[in-house]
Amino acid sequence: MVVDIAGGTFSANEAASITDVPLKEVHRIIDRGLLGSAVEVVDGGRVLQGIGLLALKMAHETRAVLTLAGRRRLVGFLLRQTEAKAARTSCVSVDLASMRDDVQSGLAQLRRARNEVVSDPAVLAGTPCIRGTRIPAHDIAEMLASGDSVESILKDFSWLSASQIELASVYARAYPRRGRPRREPLHQRKQVALSEAVFDDLPAAGS
């Protein structure tokens, strides 16, 4: 699946999820002005244009071999030559094609996560849950972050798949929970009755 990275805008959290660049590093790269015109301010927040995802990936991957000025020159080249397959300085050649593939893969994964995690006002007051269940995606992500393995989660919630668990984590990284959680994290209440996590006939995404 080829995803066009030229269009759309993305928050810092979405960019971190798509590119696998740590969120703090995303903000650091933006703060240093490395992404130039690929960054916009929308409703008081900074967002990246689609090509900015590739620029972000490149700026991060070359941090150990190029100076700040060198990275800025490479990003400038990319923003002028958005279809380029490689970028070069006097001493470094960067394979943009492979980075572009990585970004496209990250975008496709985020799209799958957004399809797998749904919000319904009738289910837990609209809390984003894994499709077909009453299990909040952020609770599953917190379990993984706390050290639980996918296998251990599957033992407790056998009706989930490994793919759903992975996509819940992707979703939570791109769309972090805001404010104080309404309920205790799922890993603190593993003995939850099955009746609280039964399958629901939820509407399809976008319906």
Side-chain angles (χ1 to χ4, degrees), residues 39-56:
V39 177
E40 302 176 0
V41 177
V42 177
D43 295 331
R46 301 184 299 188
V47 298
L48 278 68
Q49 297 174 2
I51 193 62
L53 297 172
L54 183 56
L56 171 67

Side-chain angles (χ1 to χ4, degrees), residues 11 24 95 139:
S11 69
K24 287 185 178 179
D95 180 8
D139 286 355

Side-chain angles (χ1 to χ4, degrees), residues 57-66 71 74 92 94 99:
K57 183 78 170 177
M58 181 173 65
H60 177 66
E61 294 292 336
T62 58
R63 68 195 185 284
V65 294
L66 289 176
R71 293 155 76 198
L74 277 182
V92 174
V94 178
M99 290 188 186

Side-chain angles (χ1 to χ4, degrees), residues 100-117:
R100 195 183 300 272
D101 288 344
D102 289 343
V103 171
Q104 288 176 337
S105 177
L107 267 169
Q109 186 179 51
L110 180 57
R111 289 185 178 183
R112 289 194 296 271
R114 291 175 62 174
N115 184 65
E116 192 62 40
V117 177

Side-chain angles (χ1 to χ4, degrees), residues 79-139:
L79 296 183
R80 293 189 302 272
Q81 305 288 335
T82 58
E83 299 301 320
K85 297 186 182 299
R88 294 179 178 83
T89 66
S90 58
C91 60
V92 174
S93 178
V94 178
D95 180 8
L96 292 177
S98 64
M99 290 188 186
R100 195 183 300 272
D101 288 344
D102 289 343
V103 171
Q104 288 176 337
S105 177
L107 267 169
Q109 186 179 51
L110 180 57
R111 289 185 178 183
R112 289 194 296 271
R114 291 175 62 174
N115 184 65
E116 192 62 40
V117 177
V118 296
S119 296
D120 183 342
V123 178
L124 300 183
T127 298
C129 292
I130 296 174
R131 179 180 293 278
T133 78
R134 298 174 63 87
I135 302 177
H138 292 91
D139 286 355

